[in-house]
Amino acid sequence: FLHRYLLDGQAIETVWTVIPAIILVAIALPSIRLLYLIDEIHNPALTIKVTGHQWYWSYEYSDFDDIQFDSYMIPSNELSTGMYRLLDVDNRMPVPYNQAIRLMITSDDVLHSWAVPSLGIKMDAVPGRLNQSSLLVNMPGVFYGQCSEICGSGHSFMPIVIEAVGESDFLKWLEL
Amino acid sequence: MSEVAKLPKPQLRGLLTSQIKRNLVFGAVFAFVVTAAYKMNINDKRKIKYAEFYKNYDPQREYEQMKKAGIFQSARPE
């Protein structure tokens, strides 16, 4: 039997508690700073409300004439050439690029999560709660995302598509 | 006894402690070197690539090209 009478080691236990604690504090300080910076006020030009449902998203642009629409995934058997399976939707969410946008995200039924990885955004859609997030798309294009909180059988079939368009085209779209 | 060269007395106690101390130093140096190498060869190179991309990036030009290609639902080409 090796070390049968080895009962404690105060020195080593102190070292392997204190050193990791110092390392964790060194990681935490910049991390907490960034966390607070994320919530800075940035005077958004536009507020969009996103509501998660089973199993689609709906968007409201209530700053302008109460525009509201649902966004359903295009079923695989209705895809046209060039469309992405399980990612493309019937009504995309247009936003102007290079403009600060406020997103208010909630859910109508169960937990969902609104995530678009290429824009670095993910926010839970919680029923009875309004979660705020900010969005600034610095380049035009089409950005895809998917629901990121298990919400039933259609969880994998409620994608998100954002179109970052020019300001003038966005204003034209609003008037439709 | 003949003249036999004596070996230096080996360390008999505290072997684990001295091994740990030596390993801590090697570990710290190795971690520092790997981190520095990663920062220089990967992080900084990536930052430079991003800076190069955005140096002459014109979002309006890119947008017009994308719009002409017809990829937007809400901004159809004229």
Side-chain angles (χ1 to χ4, degrees):
Chain A
F1 297 100
L2 287 174
H3 309 302
R4 193 200 301 204
Y5 302 109
L6 178 60
L7 298 174
D8 65 358
Q10 299 291 346
I12 193 171
E13 294 209 10
T14 309
V15 166
W16 72 32
T17 303
V18 168
I19 289 181
I22 293 171
I23 292 171
L24 288 175
V25 169
I27 292 171
L29 290 175
S31 181
I32 304 247
R33 177 179 167 264
L34 277 174
L35 199 58
Y36 276 80
L37 279 176
I38 284 170
D39 279 338
E40 284 268 299
I41 313 278
H42 62 294
N43 288 327
L46 171 65
T47 299
I48 301 176
K49 289 183 228 166
V50 177
T51 307
H53 308 264
Q54 283 177 312
W55 288 282
Y56 62 99
W57 295 96
S58 62
Y59 303 105
E60 294 172 41
Y61 293 63
S62 7
D63 289 345
F64 318 95
D65 275 343
D66 265 332
I67 294 176
Q68 196 216 350
F69 57 91
D70 299 335
S71 179
Y72 280 84
M73 183 188 86
I74 294 181
S76 301
N77 56 359
E78 290 174 27
L79 290 170
S80 331
T81 319
M83 281 185 164
Y84 292 116
R85 189 180 75 93
L86 306 185
L87 281 176
D88 264 311
V89 296
D90 53 2
N91 299 315
R92 296 173 172 178
M93 181 180 126
V95 297
Y97 66 81
N98 276 341
Q99 299 266 20
I101 294 160
R102 176 196 282 125
L103 294 168
M104 304 298 295
I105 300 169
T106 186
S107 165
D108 210 20
D109 35 51
V110 300
L111 287 178
H112 300 271
S113 187
W114 198 82
V116 183
S118 49
L119 296 175
I121 184 166
K122 180 183 288 182
M123 185 56 77
D124 280 359
V126 182
R129 183 181 170 87
L130 273 179
N131 275 334
Q132 179 175 292
S133 186
S134 62
L135 177 64
L136 172 66
V137 189
N138 62 348
M139 51 204 313
V142 183
F143 304 89
Y144 291 87
Q146 291 176 291
C147 179
S148 298
E149 185 68 46
I150 187 80
C151 53
S153 59
H155 160 67
S156 314
F157 310 110
M158 47 185 294
I160 297 138
V161 185
I162 295 179
E163 279 191 338
V165 297
E167 198 179 307
S168 49
D169 286 315
F170 178 72
L171 292 170
K172 253 189 252 172
W173 173 83
L174 284 174
E175 284 158 23
L176 286 168
Chain B
M1 285 295 274
S2 55
E3 301 289 327
V4 174
K6 279 201 168 138
L7 288 170
K9 182 178 176 183
Q11 185 186 2
L12 298 172
R13 295 171 187 275
L15 292 156
L16 182 62
T17 312
S18 46
Q19 185 185 50
I20 286 175
K21 279 188 200 157
R22 204 179 68 230
N23 288 346
L24 271 176
V25 172
F26 286 158
V29 168
F30 181 70
F32 182 81
V33 166
V34 168
T35 309
Y38 191 91
K39 181 191 183 291
M40 285 191 312
N41 296 325
I42 297 179
N43 288 9
D44 290 345
K45 279 218 174 96
R46 197 174 281 166
K47 274 193 187 161
I48 290 169
K49 276 207 180 119
Y50 270 79
E52 289 290 324
F53 176 81
Y54 280 106
K55 204 162 57 165
N56 297 317
Y57 181 72
D58 180 9
Q60 188 59 29
R61 182 190 63 213
E62 298 293 325
Y63 175 63
E64 295 301 331
Q65 263 181 334
M66 289 180 194
K67 185 173 162 185
K68 213 164 77 170
I71 67 166
F72 295 119
Q73 211 180 53
S74 50
R76 301 306 301 164
E78 273 99 45

